[in-house]
Amino acid sequence: MNAELIDLSPVLLLAAIGLALAAGPILWLLRRQRHASTPQRLRALTLLALFLTFDLIVFGAYTRLSDSGLGCPDWPGCYGSVSPIGASPEIHAAQTAMPTGPVTHGKAWVEMIHRYLATGVGMLLVVLCAWSWRAARRATGSALASVPVSPGWSTLSLIWVCLQGAFGALTVTMKLNPGIVTLHLLGGIGLLALLAVQAQRYTAALATPASAANMPGDGLWPSPVRLTAGLRRAVLAVLLLVIVQVTLGGWVSTNYAVLACTDFPTCQGSWWPEMDFTHAYTWRPALGLTADGHNLTLATLTAIHVTHRLAAFAVLAAMLALAFALRRHADAPARPYGAWLIGLSAWQLASGLSNVVLGWPLLAALAHTAGAAALVAVLAALLAASVAPAAARRSTFDADGTTPSRPAARHDARPAATPESA
């Protein structure tokens, strides 16, 4: 890692920009949820963080695929400035020296907007974490049992996004090393899954009869999904398969192997073109190089592309099998998840083929990344929905959502005496 590329002087200004970006959505949410309980507001804030993280993943893919990842070749600012405006002389000099190089005014703005959005999501998670712990501390009795989701979840999300920031720095200092960039993508997908689990657990906890009376009548409060043990294991298995496929897809993207095959179902006019698997999945010292420092060959890029393509068929079959199993499931809340999986499978197939045969890989690749992120979120939410949260079983909530209600009086199992029995 090149320490000279890290300049922490703009950190406070970047944090202020991120806080300003987060303040707008938070104020809008507070106004919209002004009559809601604390758990309902925490759920809404989690959903907001989930939505913005999804957007950040897609914009991160655009940053990478538009070759803007080194638009500002230092971190966290741009040539030590908080924006490309302050770095205009340096950017102009770099662009003059290399008009089509990695540093241009447009690419610098794309890169810095991505950093602003990432900082905004980080500040949003700071607020979510602080609010979760405040709700726990204000509750009487057991702090962690008095809120529908343990504050540990939001704390883990905050730690996770900080690690993402560290990987963001490494993508710059290590000059878009494919391994680091792929891990950065997986980190974003992991954060999305974490937030999807939290949102679903809030939803399940707030769907209890005691809290349903205090909720707005929007009809968006599904019951927990009851799955058999075998079907729950199938959901977990498909989620892991999707994550493996996302990793393979990230490796294709970060090595720029998308156009190694420009036809389908064949590749380079052959069912099994020349491929070099020896150097396909080794750690790279730099972008475009093998582990021993030689340039990547077309055969290596073809091997990377074909591996992802073949794995896609297996993952697609697994997703469709799970989707139809959910559609046949007797539990009605499970069926919409099956519809989501069928729709997203079709989306991924169409966007993946578009990458190859339509000649517009940027738009198709963004759609493909968005579909992969949505698949992970849906499967993670389904897995969380299939397990009833402990908080929902242990306690109910008062109207303000901050303290547990007193348990109902225990009734004797025998029928009450009637005048006739007396």
Side-chain angles (χ1 to χ4, degrees):
M1 184 176 68
N2 190 347
E4 295 178 358
L5 296 179
I6 297 180
D7 181 2
L8 298 180
S9 58
V11 164
L12 291 179
L13 286 175
L14 278 172
I17 292 173
L19 185 60
L21 289 174
I26 290 173
L27 292 174
W28 171 82
L29 182 147
L30 290 176
R31 184 178 182 278
R32 184 177 176 85
Q33 300 280 327
R34 58 186 178 277
H35 300 304
S37 66
T38 296
Q40 292 164 20
R41 289 182 174 184
L42 287 172
R43 175 187 180 272
L45 187 59
T46 304
L47 286 171
L48 178 62
L50 176 68
F51 173 75
L52 294 178
T53 300
F54 176 84
D55 293 342
L56 182 60
I57 290 171
V58 176
F59 194 83
Y62 175 75
T63 302
R64 179 178 68 256
L65 295 169
S66 63
D67 297 325
S68 301
L70 294 177
C72 289
D74 56 333
W75 187 91
C78 192
Y79 289 98
S81 177
V82 76
S83 81
I85 297 175
S88 183
E90 291 87 352
I91 296 173
H92 178 74
Q95 186 171 348
T96 301
M98 296 181 63
T100 59
V103 179
T104 66
H105 287 283
K107 292 177 180 179
W109 274 110
V110 170
E111 170 66 3
M112 287 308 297
I113 289 173
H114 178 246
R115 296 182 193 179
Y116 298 152
L117 293 176
T119 307
V121 169
M123 289 299 174
L124 198 62
L125 293 179
V126 169
V127 173
L128 178 62
C129 182
W131 201 347
S132 299
W133 281 105
R134 179 175 178 269
R137 286 198 304 269
R138 290 184 61 186
T140 58
S142 176
L144 296 181
S146 62
V147 291
V149 176
S150 167
W153 281 95
S154 58
T155 304
L156 178 59
S157 299
L158 180 58
I159 294 172
W160 195 288
V161 81
C162 291
L163 292 175
Q164 269 295 89
F167 271 102
L170 288 175
T171 60
V172 175
T173 58
M174 296 186 70
K175 303 295 184 183
L176 304 183
N177 179 285
I180 296 297
V181 177
T182 301
L183 288 174
H184 192 49
L185 170 63
L186 288 176
I189 294 291
L191 179 61
L192 191 75
L194 268 177
L195 292 170
V197 168
Q198 293 171 66
Q200 181 56 52
R201 287 171 66 90
Y202 274 118
T203 297
L206 289 169
T208 59
S211 58
N214 299 322
M215 283 192 267
D218 56 9
L220 298 177
W221 306 95
S223 303
V225 177
R226 295 175 180 85
L227 300 180
T228 64
L231 198 51
R232 189 179 300 121
R233 286 194 293 269
V235 173
L236 177 60
V238 172
L239 175 59
L240 294 177
L241 280 175
V242 169
I243 291 174
V244 170
Q245 181 66 353
V246 169
T247 306
L248 292 174
W251 196 246
V252 171
S253 178
T254 55
N255 283 280
Y256 296 89
V258 175
L259 296 180
C261 300
T262 57
D263 51 327
F264 183 87
T266 59
C267 175
Q268 301 169 15
S270 171
W271 289 104
W272 194 256
E274 181 185 357
M275 289 181 282
D276 174 20
F277 288 95
T278 303
H279 300 101
Y281 293 98
T282 56
W283 187 266
R284 314 233 183 279
L287 178 63
L289 299 180
T290 62
D292 53 7
H294 295 96
N295 292 329
L296 290 179
T297 64
L298 177 60
T300 302
L301 298 177
T302 303
I304 294 171
H305 183 114
V306 170
T307 301
H308 178 63
R309 181 185 290 191
L310 293 176
F313 290 112
V315 176
L316 181 63
M319 288 193 301
L320 289 176
L322 176 61
F324 287 113
L326 292 171
R327 295 289 290 172
R328 292 194 304 268
H329 198 269
D331 191 18
R335 294 171 191 157
Y337 288 98
W340 270 103
L341 289 178
I342 292 172
L344 287 171
S345 297
W347 177 274
Q348 286 301 87
L349 179 61
S351 59
L353 289 177
S354 299
N355 269 324
V356 176
V357 301
L358 293 185
W360 34 285
L362 178 57
L363 182 59
L366 293 179
H368 206 54
T369 300
L375 270 172
V376 170
V378 168
L379 288 167
L382 174 58
L383 199 61
S386 66
V387 180
R393 297 194 299 267
R394 289 196 302 262
S395 63
T396 57
F397 298 92
D398 289 331
D400 64 358
T402 57
T403 58
S405 302
R406 292 181 179 276
R410 183 176 179 179
H411 297 286
D412 193 276
R414 294 172 297 175
T418 61
E420 291 78 12
S421 63

